[in-house]
Amino acid sequence: MGVRHAREYADILKELSVAVGEIENSYSFFEMEPEEWEALAAEERQEVMEALADDVFFGLGEDPVIAIGGGAITYNSKHHVIEVSQGDNVIQIIRLI
């Protein structure tokens, strides 16, 4: 099915990368240990979050909810948004149109 979007993918990916980086322990999605994450330079961390955002975006086409660390990413096709939540709180909404 895929995630339908009208905005530029690069813009969506940029916002999603920042949002997933805000989720506690988001790096655990790649089975990284806290020590491994801490050892990465800031630029490397950003690259990991971009890869995570990319994987999540395409994964949402198959499963509308993906658990990440202490949060979740939800594709709301009715409202054309991706909701990024941590615990019970939505921390960011990314518009797809």
Side-chain angles (χ1 to χ4, degrees):
M1 175 176 140
V3 174
R4 295 176 50 99
H5 60 94
R7 288 182 58 209
E8 289 291 325
Y9 177 70
D11 295 336
I12 295 169
L13 184 62
K14 187 176 186 180
E15 287 182 38
L16 190 55
S17 296
V18 171
V20 296
E22 297 291 320
I23 297 174
E24 186 176 322
N25 301 324
S26 57
Y27 56 83
S28 66
F29 185 81
F30 289 124
E31 300 180 2
M32 293 179 76
E33 296 296 324
E35 301 81 27
E36 295 172 299
W37 178 251
E38 293 298 323
L40 296 177
E43 185 176 301
E44 293 171 315
R45 288 181 185 188
Q46 184 178 355
E47 289 174 7
V48 170
M49 288 301 112
E50 279 185 28
L52 177 54
D54 188 57
D55 288 353
V56 165
F57 184 84
F58 288 102
L60 289 170
E62 296 292 321
D63 186 357
V65 180
I66 297 177
I68 306 274
I73 314 295
T74 304
Y75 172 45
N76 183 325
S77 60
K78 181 179 178 182
H79 293 106
H80 307 289
V81 296
I82 294 173
E83 297 173 346
V84 181
S85 54
Q86 185 161 278
D88 292 333
N89 300 318
V90 173
I91 60 172
Q92 187 161 352
I93 295 174
I94 299 164
R95 303 202 180 281
L96 300 172
I97 56 173

Coordinates of all heavy atoms in Angstrom, one line a residue:
M1 N 0.8 -1.2 0.0 CA 0.0 0.0 0.0 C 0.9 1.2 0.0 O 0.8 2.1 -0.9 CB -0.9 0.0 1.2 CG -1.8 1.2 1.4 SD -2.9 0.9 2.8 CE -2.8 2.5 3.5
G2 N 1.7 1.4 1.0 CA 2.6 2.6 1.0 C 1.9 3.8 1.7 O 0.7 3.9 1.9
V3 N 2.8 4.7 2.2 CA 2.3 5.9 2.8 C 2.2 7.0 1.7 O 3.1 7.3 1.0 CB 3.4 6.4 3.8 CG1 3.0 7.8 4.4 CG2 3.5 5.4 5.0
R4 N 0.9 7.5 1.6 CA 0.6 8.5 0.5 C 1.1 9.8 1.0 O 0.8 10.2 2.2 CB -0.8 8.4 0.2 CG -1.3 7.1 -0.4 CD -2.8 7.1 -0.7 NE -3.3 8.2 -1.3 CZ -3.5 8.3 -2.6 NH1 -3.3 7.3 -3.4 NH2 -4.0 9.4 -3.2
H5 N 1.8 10.5 0.2 CA 2.2 11.9 0.6 C 2.3 12.8 -0.7 O 2.5 12.3 -1.8 CB 3.6 11.8 1.3 CG 4.7 11.2 0.4 ND1 5.5 12.0 -0.3 CD2 5.0 9.9 0.3 CE1 6.4 11.1 -0.9 NE2 6.1 9.9 -0.6
A6 N 2.1 14.1 -0.4 CA 2.2 15.0 -1.5 C 3.4 16.0 -1.3 O 3.8 16.6 -2.2 CB 0.9 15.9 -1.6
R7 N 3.9 16.1 -0.1 CA 5.1 16.9 0.2 C 6.3 16.2 -0.3 O 6.3 14.9 -0.5 CB 5.2 17.1 1.8 CG 4.2 18.0 2.4 CD 4.4 18.2 3.8 NE 5.7 18.7 4.1 CZ 6.4 18.5 5.3 NH1 5.9 17.8 6.2 NH2 7.6 19.0 5.4
E8 N 7.4 16.9 -0.4 CA 8.7 16.3 -0.8 C 9.1 15.3 0.2 O 9.1 15.6 1.4 CB 9.7 17.4 -1.0 CG 9.5 18.3 -2.2 CD 9.8 17.6 -3.5 OE1 10.6 16.7 -3.6 OE2 9.0 17.9 -4.4
Y9 N 9.6 14.2 -0.2 CA 10.0 13.1 0.7 C 11.2 13.6 1.6 O 11.2 13.3 2.8 CB 10.4 11.9 -0.1 CG 10.9 10.8 0.9 CD1 10.1 10.1 1.7 CD2 12.3 10.5 0.9 CE1 10.5 9.2 2.6 CE2 12.7 9.5 1.7 CZ 11.9 8.9 2.6 OH 12.4 7.9 3.5
A10 N 12.1 14.4 1.0 CA 13.2 14.9 1.8 C 12.8 15.7 2.9 O 13.4 15.6 4.0 CB 14.2 15.7 0.8
D11 N 11.7 16.5 2.8 CA 11.2 17.4 3.8 C 10.6 16.5 4.9 O 10.8 16.8 6.1 CB 10.2 18.4 3.3 CG 10.9 19.4 2.4 OD1 12.1 19.6 2.5 OD2 10.1 20.0 1.6
I12 N 9.8 15.5 4.5 CA 9.2 14.6 5.5 C 10.3 13.9 6.3 O 10.2 13.8 7.5 CB 8.3 13.6 4.8 CG1 7.1 14.4 4.2 CG2 7.8 12.6 5.7 CD1 6.2 13.5 3.2
L13 N 11.3 13.4 5.6 CA 12.3 12.6 6.2 C 13.1 13.4 7.2 O 13.5 13.0 8.3 CB 13.3 12.0 5.1 CG 14.4 11.1 5.7 CD1 13.9 9.9 6.3 CD2 15.4 10.8 4.5
K14 N 13.4 14.7 6.9 CA 14.1 15.6 7.8 C 13.3 15.8 9.1 O 13.9 15.6 10.2 CB 14.2 16.9 7.1 CG 15.1 17.9 7.8 CD 15.3 19.2 6.9 CE 16.2 20.2 7.5 NZ 16.3 21.3 6.7
E15 N 12.0 16.0 9.0 CA 11.1 16.2 10.2 C 11.1 14.9 11.0 O 11.1 14.9 12.2 CB 9.7 16.6 9.8 CG 9.7 18.1 9.3 CD 8.2 18.5 9.0 OE1 7.3 18.0 9.7 OE2 8.1 19.2 8.1
L16 N 10.9 13.8 10.3 CA 10.8 12.5 10.9 C 12.0 12.1 11.6 O 12.0 11.5 12.7 CB 10.3 11.4 9.9 CG 9.9 10.1 10.5 CD1 8.8 10.2 11.5 CD2 9.5 9.2 9.3
S17 N 13.2 12.4 11.0 CA 14.5 12.1 11.7 C 14.6 12.8 13.0 O 15.1 12.2 14.0 CB 15.6 12.6 10.7 OG 15.6 11.8 9.6
V18 N 14.3 14.1 13.0 CA 14.3 14.9 14.3 C 13.4 14.3 15.3 O 13.7 14.1 16.5 CB 14.0 16.4 14.0 CG1 13.9 17.1 15.3 CG2 15.1 17.0 13.1
A19 N 12.1 14.0 14.8 CA 11.1 13.5 15.8 C 11.5 12.1 16.4 O 11.4 11.9 17.6 CB 9.8 13.3 15.0
V20 N 12.0 11.2 15.6 CA 12.4 9.9 16.1 C 13.6 10.0 17.1 O 13.7 9.3 18.0 CB 12.7 8.8 15.1 CG1 11.4 8.5 14.3 CG2 13.8 9.1 14.1
G21 N 14.4 11.0 16.8 CA 15.5 11.3 17.7 C 15.1 11.8 19.1 O 15.9 11.6 20.1
E22 N 13.9 12.3 19.2 CA 13.3 12.7 20.5 C 12.8 11.6 21.3 O 12.5 11.8 22.5 CB 12.2 13.8 20.2 CG 12.7 15.0 19.5 CD 13.6 15.9 20.4 OE1 13.3 16.0 21.6 OE2 14.6 16.4 19.9
I23 N 12.6 10.4 20.7 CA 12.0 9.3 21.4 C 13.1 8.7 22.3 O 14.2 8.4 21.7 CB 11.4 8.3 20.5 CG1 10.2 8.9 19.7 CG2 11.0 7.0 21.2 CD1 9.7 8.0 18.6
E24 N 12.8 8.4 23.5 CA 13.8 7.8 24.4 C 14.2 6.4 23.9 O 13.3 5.6 23.6 CB 13.1 7.7 25.8 CG 14.1 7.2 26.9 CD 13.4 7.2 28.2 OE1 12.6 8.1 28.5 OE2 13.7 6.3 29.0
N25 N 15.5 6.2 23.9 CA 16.0 4.9 23.4 C 15.7 4.5 22.0 O 15.6 3.3 21.7 CB 15.7 3.8 24.4 CG 16.1 4.1 25.8 OD1 17.2 4.6 26.0 ND2 15.4 3.7 26.8
S26 N 15.4 5.5 21.1 CA 15.1 5.1 19.8 C 16.1 4.3 19.1 O 15.8 3.5 18.2 CB 14.8 6.4 19.0 OG 15.9 7.3 19.0
Y27 N 17.4 4.5 19.4 CA 18.5 3.7 18.8 C 18.3 2.2 19.1 O 18.9 1.4 18.3 CB 19.8 4.2 19.4 CG 19.9 4.1 20.9 CD1 20.2 2.9 21.5 CD2 19.6 5.2 21.7 CE1 20.3 2.9 22.9 CE2 19.7 5.2 23.0 CZ 20.0 4.0 23.7 OH 20.1 4.0 25.0
S28 N 17.5 1.8 20.1 CA 17.3 0.4 20.3 C 16.6 -0.4 19.2 O 16.7 -1.6 19.1 CB 16.6 0.2 21.7 OG 15.3 0.6 21.6
F29 N 16.0 0.4 18.3 CA 15.4 -0.2 17.1 C 16.4 -1.0 16.3 O 16.1 -2.0 15.7 CB 14.7 0.9 16.3 CG 14.0 0.4 15.1 CD1 12.6 0.0 15.2 CD2 14.5 0.4 13.8 CE1 11.9 -0.4 14.1 CE2 13.8 0.0 12.7 CZ 12.5 -0.4 12.9
F30 N 17.6 -0.5 16.3 CA 18.7 -1.2 15.6 C 19.5 -2.1 16.5 O 20.6 -2.5 16.2 CB 19.7 -0.1 15.0 CG 19.0 0.6 13.8 CD1 19.0 2.0 13.8 CD2 18.5 0.0 12.7 CE1 18.5 2.7 12.8 CE2 18.0 0.7 11.7 CZ 17.9 2.1 11.7
E31 N 18.9 -2.4 17.6 CA 19.5 -3.3 18.6 C 20.9 -2.8 19.1 O 21.8 -3.6 19.4 CB 19.6 -4.7 18.1 CG 18.3 -5.3 17.7 CD 18.3 -6.7 17.2 OE1 19.4 -7.3 17.0 OE2 17.2 -7.2 16.8
M32 N 21.0 -1.5 19.2 CA 22.2 -0.9 19.7 C 22.1 -0.8 21.3 O 21.0 -0.6 21.8 CB 22.4 0.6 19.2 CG 22.7 0.6 17.7 SD 22.8 2.4 17.2 CE 24.5 2.7 17.8
E33 N 23.2 -1.0 21.9 CA 23.3 -0.8 23.4 C 23.5 0.7 23.7 O 24.1 1.4 22.8 CB 24.4 -1.7 23.9 CG 24.1 -3.2 23.7 CD 22.9 -3.7 24.5 OE1 22.6 -3.2 25.6 OE2 22.2 -4.6 24.0
P34 N 23.1 1.1 24.9 CA 23.4 2.5 25.2 C 24.9 2.9 25.1 O 25.2 4.1 24.6 CB 23.0 2.6 26.7 CG 22.0 1.5 26.8 CD 22.4 0.4 25.9
E35 N 25.8 2.0 25.4 CA 27.2 2.3 25.3 C 27.6 2.6 23.8 O 28.4 3.4 23.5 CB 28.1 1.2 25.8 CG 27.8 0.9 27.3 CD 26.6 0.0 27.5 OE1 26.2 -0.8 26.7 OE2 26.0 0.2 28.6
E36 N 27.0 1.8 22.9 CA 27.3 2.0 21.5 C 26.8 3.3 21.0 O 27.5 4.0 20.2 CB 26.7 0.9 20.7 CG 27.2 -0.5 20.9 CD 26.4 -1.6 20.2 OE1 25.2 -1.7 20.5 OE2 27.0 -2.3 19.4
W37 N 25.6 3.7 21.4 CA 25.0 5.0 21.1 C 25.9 6.1 21.6 O 26.1 7.1 20.8 CB 23.6 5.1 21.6 CG 22.9 6.4 21.3 CD1 22.6 7.3 22.2 CD2 22.5 6.8 20.0 NE1 22.0 8.4 21.5 CE2 21.9 8.1 20.2 CE3 22.5 6.3 18.7 CZ2 21.3 8.9 19.2 CZ3 22.0 7.1 17.7 CH2 21.4 8.3 17.9
E38 N 26.2 6.1 22.8 CA 27.0 7.1 23.4 C 28.4 7.3 22.7 O 29.0 8.4 22.7 CB 27.2 6.8 24.9 CG 26.0 6.9 25.7 CD 25.3 8.3 25.7 OE1 26.1 9.3 25.7 OE2 24.1 8.4 25.7
A39 N 28.9 6.2 22.2 CA 30.2 6.2 21.5 C 30.2 6.9 20.2 O 31.2 7.3 19.6 CB 30.8 4.8 21.4
L40 N 29.0 7.1 19.6 CA 28.9 7.7 18.3 C 29.0 9.2 18.4 O 28.6 9.9 19.3 CB 27.5 7.4 17.7 CG 27.2 6.0 17.3 CD1 25.8 5.9 16.8 CD2 28.2 5.4 16.3
A41 N 29.6 9.8 17.3 CA 29.7 11.3 17.2 C 28.4 11.8 16.8 O 27.5 11.1 16.3 CB 30.8 11.6 16.1
A42 N 28.1 13.1 17.0 CA 26.8 13.7 16.7 C 26.4 13.5 15.3 O 25.2 13.2 15.0 CB 26.9 15.2 17.0
E43 N 27.4 13.6 14.3 CA 27.0 13.3 12.9 C 26.6 11.9 12.7 O 25.7 11.6 11.9 CB 28.2 13.7 12.0 CG 28.0 13.6 10.6 CD 29.1 14.1 9.7 OE1 29.6 15.2 9.9 OE2 29.6 13.2 8.9
E44 N 27.3 11.0 13.3 CA 26.9 9.6 13.2 C 25.5 9.3 13.8 O 24.7 8.5 13.2 CB 27.9 8.7 13.9 CG 29.3 8.7 13.2 CD 30.4 8.0 14.0 OE1 30.4 8.2 15.3 OE2 31.1 7.2 13.4
R45 N 25.2 9.9 14.9 CA 23.9 9.8 15.5 C 22.8 10.3 14.5 O 21.8 9.7 14.4 CB 23.8 10.5 16.8 CG 24.6 9.9 17.9 CD 24.4 10.7 19.2 NE 25.3 10.2 20.2 CZ 25.2 10.6 21.5 NH1 24.4 11.5 21.8 NH2 26.0 10.0 22.4
Q46 N 23.1 11.4 13.9 CA 22.1 12.0 12.9 C 21.9 11.0 11.8 O 20.8 10.8 11.3 CB 22.6 13.3 12.4 CG 21.7 14.0 11.5 CD 22.2 15.3 11.0 OE1 23.2 15.8 11.4 NE2 21.4 16.0 10.1
E47 N 23.0 10.4 11.3 CA 22.9 9.4 10.2 C 22.0 8.2 10.6 O 21.2 7.7 9.9 CB 24.2 8.9 9.8 CG 25.0 10.0 9.0 CD 26.5 9.6 8.7 OE1 26.8 8.4 9.0 OE2 27.2 10.5 8.2
V48 N 22.2 7.7 11.9 CA 21.4 6.6 12.4 C 19.9 7.0 12.4 O 19.1 6.2 12.0 CB 21.9 6.2 13.8 CG1 20.9 5.2 14.4 CG2 23.3 5.6 13.7
M49 N 19.6 8.2 12.9 CA 18.2 8.7 13.0 C 17.6 8.8 11.6 O 16.5 8.5 11.4 CB 18.1 10.0 13.8 CG 18.4 9.8 15.3 SD 17.2 8.7 16.0 CE 18.3 7.3 16.5
E50 N 18.4 9.3 10.6 CA 17.9 9.4 9.2 C 17.6 8.0 8.7 O 16.6 7.8 8.0 CB 18.9 10.0 8.3 CG 18.9 11.5 8.4 CD 19.9 12.2 7.4 OE1 20.1 11.6 6.3 OE2 20.3 13.3 7.7
A51 N 18.5 7.0 9.0 CA 18.2 5.6 8.5 C 17.0 5.1 9.2 O 16.1 4.4 8.6 CB 19.4 4.8 8.8
L52 N 16.8 5.4 10.5 CA 15.6 4.9 11.2 C 14.4 5.5 10.6 O 13.4 4.8 10.4 CB 15.8 5.3 12.7 CG 14.6 4.9 13.6 CD1 14.2 3.5 13.5 CD2 15.0 5.3 15.0
A53 N 14.4 6.8 10.4 CA 13.2 7.5 9.8 C 12.9 6.9 8.5 O 11.7 6.7 8.2 CB 13.5 9.0 9.7
D54 N 13.9 6.7 7.7 CA 13.6 6.1 6.3 C 13.0 4.7 6.5 O 12.0 4.4 5.8 CB 14.9 6.0 5.6 CG 14.8 5.6 4.1 OD1 14.0 6.3 3.4 OD2 15.4 4.6 3.7
D55 N 13.5 3.9 7.3 CA 13.0 2.5 7.5 C 11.5 2.6 8.1 O 10.7 1.9 7.6 CB 13.8 1.7 8.5 CG 15.2 1.3 8.0 OD1 15.4 1.5 6.8 OD2 16.0 0.8 8.8
V56 N 11.3 3.5 9.0 CA 10.0 3.6 9.6 C 9.0 4.1 8.5 O 7.9 3.6 8.4 CB 10.0 4.6 10.8 CG1 8.6 5.0 11.2 CG2 10.7 3.9 12.0
F57 N 9.4 5.1 7.8 CA 8.4 5.7 6.8 C 7.9 4.6 5.8 O 6.7 4.4 5.6 CB 9.1 6.8 5.9 CG 8.2 7.4 4.9 CD1 7.4 8.4 5.3 CD2 8.2 7.0 3.6 CE1 6.5 9.0 4.4 CE2 7.3 7.6 2.7 CZ 6.5 8.6 3.1
F58 N 8.8 3.7 5.3 CA 8.4 2.7 4.4 C 7.8 1.5 5.1 O 6.8 0.9 4.6 CB 9.6 2.2 3.6 CG 10.0 3.3 2.5 CD1 11.1 4.1 2.7 CD2 9.2 3.5 1.4 CE1 11.4 5.1 1.8 CE2 9.5 4.5 0.5 CZ 10.6 5.3 0.7
G59 N 8.1 1.3 6.4 CA 7.5 0.3 7.2 C 6.0 0.6 7.5 O 5.2 -0.3 7.6
L60 N 5.7 1.9 7.6 CA 4.4 2.3 7.9 C 3.4 2.0 6.8 O 2.2 1.9 7.0 CB 4.3 3.8 8.2 CG 4.9 4.3 9.5 CD1 5.0 5.8 9.5 CD2 4.2 3.8 10.7
G61 N 3.9 1.7 5.6 CA 3.1 1.3 4.5 C 2.5 -0.1 4.7 O 1.5 -0.5 4.2
E62 N 3.2 -0.9 5.5 CA 2.8 -2.3 5.8 C 2.1 -2.4 7.2 O 1.2 -3.2 7.3 CB 4.0 -3.2 5.9 CG 4.8 -3.3 4.6 CD 3.9 -4.1 3.5 OE1 3.2 -5.1 3.9 OE2 4.0 -3.7 2.4
D63 N 2.6 -1.6 8.1 CA 2.0 -1.6 9.5 C 1.8 -0.2 10.0 O 2.8 0.5 10.1 CB 3.0 -2.4 10.4 CG 2.4 -2.6 11.8 OD1 1.3 -2.1 12.1 OD2 3.1 -3.2 12.6
P64 N 0.6 0.2 10.2 CA 0.4 1.7 10.6 C 0.9 2.1 11.9 O 0.9 3.3 12.2 CB -1.1 1.8 10.5 CG -1.7 0.4 10.7 CD -0.6 -0.5 10.2
V65 N 1.4 1.2 12.7 CA 2.0 1.5 14.0 C 3.3 0.8 14.2 O 3.3 -0.5 14.1 CB 1.0 1.2 15.2 CG1 1.7 1.6 16.5 CG2 -0.3 1.9 15.0
I66 N 4.4 1.5 14.5 CA 5.7 0.9 14.7 C 6.2 1.4 16.0 O 6.3 2.6 16.2 CB 6.6 1.2 13.5 CG1 6.1 0.7 12.2 CG2 8.0 0.7 13.8 CD1 6.9 1.0 11.0
A67 N 6.5 0.4 16.9 CA 7.1 0.7 18.2 C 8.6 1.1 18.0 O 9.3 0.4 17.3 CB 6.9 -0.4 19.1
I68 N 9.0 2.2 18.7 CA 10.4 2.6 18.6 C 10.8 3.0 20.0 O 10.2 3.9 20.6 CB 10.6 3.9 17.7 CG1 10.0 3.7 16.4 CG2 12.0 4.4 17.7 CD1 10.9 3.1 15.3
G69 N 11.8 2.3 20.6 CA 12.3 2.6 21.9 C 11.1 2.8 22.9 O 10.3 1.9 23.0
G70 N 11.0 4.0 23.5 CA 9.9 4.2 24.5 C 8.7 4.9 23.8 O 7.9 5.5 24.5
G71 N 8.6 4.8 22.5 CA 7.5 5.4 21.8 C 6.9 4.6 20.7 O 7.2 3.4 20.6
A72 N 6.2 5.3 19.8 CA 5.6 4.7 18.6 C 5.4 5.7 17.5 O 5.3 6.9 17.8 CB 4.3 4.1 19.0
I73 N 5.4 5.3 16.3 CA 5.2 6.1 15.2 C 3.9 5.5 14.5 O 3.8 4.3 14.3 CB 6.3 6.0 14.1 CG1 7.7 6.2 14.7 CG2 6.1 7.0 13.0 CD1 7.9 7.5 15.3
T74 N 2.9 6.4 14.3 CA 1.6 6.0 13.8 C 1.3 6.7 12.5 O 1.4 8.0 12.4 CB 0.5 6.2 14.8 OG1 0.9 5.6 16.0 CG2 -0.8 5.7 14.3
Y75 N 0.9 6.0 11.5 CA 0.5 6.6 10.2 C -1.1 6.7 10.3 O -1.8 5.7 10.3 CB 0.9 5.7 9.0 CG 0.3 6.1 7.7 CD1 0.3 7.5 7.3 CD2 -0.2 5.2 6.8 CE1 -0.2 7.8 6.0 CE2 -0.7 5.5 5.6 CZ -0.7 6.9 5.2 OH -1.2 7.2 4.0
N76 N -1.6 7.9 10.2 CA -3.0 8.2 10.2 C -3.4 8.6 8.8 O -3.2 9.7 8.4 CB -3.3 9.3 11.2 CG -4.8 9.6 11.3 OD1 -5.5 9.5 10.3 ND2 -5.2 10.0 12.5
S77 N -3.8 7.6 8.0 CA -4.1 7.8 6.6 C -5.3 8.7 6.4 O -5.3 9.5 5.4 CB -4.3 6.5 5.9 OG -5.3 5.8 6.4
K78 N -6.2 8.7 7.3 CA -7.4 9.5 7.2 C -7.1 11.0 7.2 O -7.6 11.8 6.5 CB -8.4 9.2 8.3 CG -9.7 10.0 8.2 CD -10.6 9.6 9.3 CE -11.9 10.4 9.3 NZ -12.8 10.0 10.4
H79 N -6.1 11.4 8.1 CA -5.7 12.8 8.2 C -4.4 13.1 7.5 O -3.9 14.3 7.6 CB -5.7 13.2 9.7 CG -7.0 13.1 10.4 ND1 -7.4 12.1 11.3 CD2 -8.1 13.9 10.3 CE1 -8.6 12.3 11.7 NE2 -9.1 13.4 11.1
H80 N -3.8 12.2 6.9 CA -2.6 12.4 6.1 C -1.5 12.9 7.0 O -0.8 13.9 6.6 CB -2.8 13.3 4.9 CG -3.9 12.8 4.0 ND1 -3.9 11.7 3.2 CD2 -5.2 13.4 3.9 CE1 -5.0 11.6 2.6 NE2 -5.8 12.5 3.0
V81 N -1.3 12.3 8.1 CA -0.2 12.6 9.0 C 0.5 11.4 9.6 O -0.1 10.3 9.6 CB -0.7 13.5 10.2 CG1 -1.3 14.8 9.7 CG2 -1.7 12.8 11.1
I82 N 1.7 11.6 10.1 CA 2.4 10.7 10.9 C 2.5 11.3 12.3 O 3.0 12.4 12.4 CB 3.8 10.4 10.3 CG1 3.7 9.7 9.0 CG2 4.6 9.5 11.3 CD1 5.0 9.5 8.2
E83 N 2.1 10.5 13.3 CA 2.1 11.0 14.7 C 3.3 10.2 15.4 O 3.4 9.0 15.3 CB 0.8 10.6 15.4 CG -0.4 11.4 14.8 CD -1.7 10.9 15.4 OE1 -1.7 9.9 16.1 OE2 -2.7 11.6 15.2
V84 N 4.1 11.0 16.0 CA 5.2 10.5 16.8 C 4.9 10.6 18.3 O 4.6 11.8 18.7 CB 6.5 11.2 16.5 CG1 7.7 10.6 17.2 CG2 6.8 11.2 15.0
S85 N 4.8 9.5 19.0 CA 4.5 9.6 20.4 C 5.5 8.9 21.3 O 6.2 8.1 20.9 CB 3.1 9.0 20.6 OG 3.0 7.7 20.1
Q86 N 5.5 9.4 22.5 CA 6.3 8.8 23.5 C 5.4 8.6 24.7 O 4.8 9.6 25.2 CB 7.5 9.8 23.9 CG 8.5 9.2 24.9 CD 9.8 9.9 24.8 OE1 10.6 9.6 24.0 NE2 10.0 10.8 25.7
G87 N 5.4 7.4 25.2 CA 4.4 7.1 26.2 C 3.0 7.3 25.7 O 2.7 6.9 24.6
D88 N 2.2 8.1 26.4 CA 0.8 8.4 26.0 C 0.7 9.8 25.3 O -0.3 10.3 25.0 CB -0.1 8.4 27.2 CG -0.3 7.0 27.8 OD1 -0.1 6.1 27.0 OD2 -0.5 6.9 29.0
N89 N 1.9 10.5 25.1 CA 1.9 11.8 24.6 C 2.3 11.9 23.1 O 3.4 11.3 22.8 CB 2.8 12.7 25.4 CG 2.3 12.8 26.8 OD1 1.2 12.9 27.1 ND2 3.3 12.8 27.7
V90 N 1.6 12.5 22.3 CA 2.0 12.8 20.9 C 3.0 13.9 21.0 O 2.7 15.0 21.5 CB 0.8 13.1 20.0 CG1 1.3 13.6 18.6 CG2 -0.1 12.0 19.9
I91 N 4.2 13.7 20.6 CA 5.3 14.7 20.7 C 5.5 15.5 19.4 O 6.0 16.6 19.4 CB 6.6 14.2 21.2 CG1 7.2 13.1 20.3 CG2 6.5 13.7 22.6 CD1 8.6 12.6 20.6
Q92 N 5.0 14.9 18.3 CA 5.1 15.6 17.0 C 4.2 15.0 16.0 O 3.9 13.8 16.0 CB 6.5 15.6 16.4 CG 6.7 16.5 15.2 CD 8.1 16.8 14.9 OE1 9.0 16.5 15.6 NE2 8.3 17.4 13.8
I93 N 3.6 15.9 15.1 CA 2.8 15.5 14.0 C 3.4 16.0 12.7 O 3.8 17.2 12.6 CB 1.3 16.1 14.2 CG1 0.7 15.5 15.4 CG2 0.5 15.8 12.9 CD1 -0.7 16.1 15.7
I94 N 3.6 15.0 11.8 CA 4.3 15.4 10.6 C 3.2 15.3 9.5 O 2.6 14.2 9.3 CB 5.5 14.4 10.3 CG1 6.5 14.6 11.4 CG2 6.1 14.7 8.9 CD1 7.5 13.5 11.5
R95 N 3.0 16.4 8.8 CA 2.0 16.5 7.8 C 2.6 15.9 6.5 O 3.7 16.1 6.1 CB 1.5 17.9 7.5 CG 1.0 18.5 8.8 CD 0.1 19.7 8.6 NE -0.4 20.2 9.9 CZ -1.4 19.6 10.5 NH1 -2.0 18.6 10.1 NH2 -1.8 20.2 11.7
L96 N 1.7 15.1 5.8 CA 2.2 14.5 4.5 C 1.7 15.2 3.3 O 2.1 14.9 2.2 CB 1.7 13.0 4.5 CG 2.2 12.2 5.7 CD1 1.5 10.8 5.7 CD2 3.7 12.0 5.6
I97 N 0.8 16.2 3.5 CA 0.3 16.9 2.3 C 0.5 18.4 2.5 O 0.8 18.8 3.6 CB -1.2 16.7 2.0 CG1 -2.1 16.9 3.3 CG2 -1.4 15.2 1.6 CD1 -3.6 16.9 3.0

